[in-house]
Amino acid sequence: MKYAVRYYTKTGNTKKLADAIAKVLDVEALPLSEPVQEKVDLLFLGNSYYAFSIDPEVRDFVSSLDKEKVGKIVNFGSAAMLNSTYKKVKATAAKVGIPMLEKEFHCKGEFKGLHKGRPNEEDLKAAAEFAKNIMEENGK
């Protein structure tokens, strides 16, 4: 199995999760500005809600993906208010023919004083465990 990790963050919270996940997968977590050049079985995509939707950069990145290079997307992220971006990312990915793994990881993220210190060490361990479980379930 080949993996890649890409993330979008405005606060640094999702980058922390991306780094924890990438360490388990033995790959580098890269920002969305780095396109997926190689063929990967699973693309772990970190993102969050901004103004009640996914950021246009996330939407544009997913729309630019090549279904010949990306097998499935695994969604993860953090948010202060809303939890999951899954439906928004899935709708965008469906337009380019890339399926999403049903499992995803989300945790609270600090924003303007809400959820101070999140994601914390416990959240990062949970993100790493999530990645490990995905590897095991999908044949490493």
Side-chain angles (χ1 to χ4, degrees):
M1 278 266 175
K2 287 199 63 148
Y3 306 100
V5 177
R6 297 295 187 276
Y7 66 88
Y8 178 78
T9 189
K10 287 186 178 183
T11 62
N13 293 336
T14 304
K15 181 184 184 330
K16 291 177 188 175
L17 296 174
D19 288 340
I21 288 169
K23 185 174 181 182
V24 170
L25 301 174
D26 198 27
V27 298
E28 185 178 1
L30 298 171
L32 295 187
S33 58
E34 297 288 332
V36 178
Q37 303 281 9
E38 68 283 3
K39 186 172 173 46
V40 297
D41 299 295
L42 295 176
L43 168 62
F44 285 73
L45 178 63
N47 60 95
S48 186
Y49 265 96
Y50 299 102
F52 302 101
S53 191
I54 57 175
D55 192 275
E57 283 189 49
V58 175
R59 191 172 38 254
D60 292 347
F61 175 81
V62 173
S63 295
S64 75
L65 291 172
D66 180 348
K67 70 178 182 177
E68 300 303 317
K69 288 187 179 176
V70 178
K72 286 186 179 179
I73 296 172
V74 182
N75 200 50
F76 73 91
S78 65
M81 300 295 222
L82 302 170
N83 287 333
S84 176
T85 58
Y86 185 89
K87 288 181 182 177
K88 299 273 187 182
V89 174
K90 183 176 182 176
T92 304
K95 291 177 184 174
V96 292
I98 299 175
M100 300 233 342
L101 205 64
E102 288 185 27
K103 293 183 179 182
E104 65 173 338
F105 179 84
H106 276 275
C107 68
K108 297 289 183 198
E110 182 176 340
F111 182 71
K112 294 187 178 183
L114 286 172
H115 313 298
K116 196 97 175 127
R118 303 286 298 272
N120 57 27
E121 283 304 312
E122 191 174 301
D123 296 323
L124 298 180
K125 285 179 186 172
E129 188 64 27
F130 169 77
K132 182 179 173 190
N133 290 338
I134 296 297
M135 284 177 67
E136 290 171 356
E137 291 170 8
N138 290 277
K140 294 194 180 195

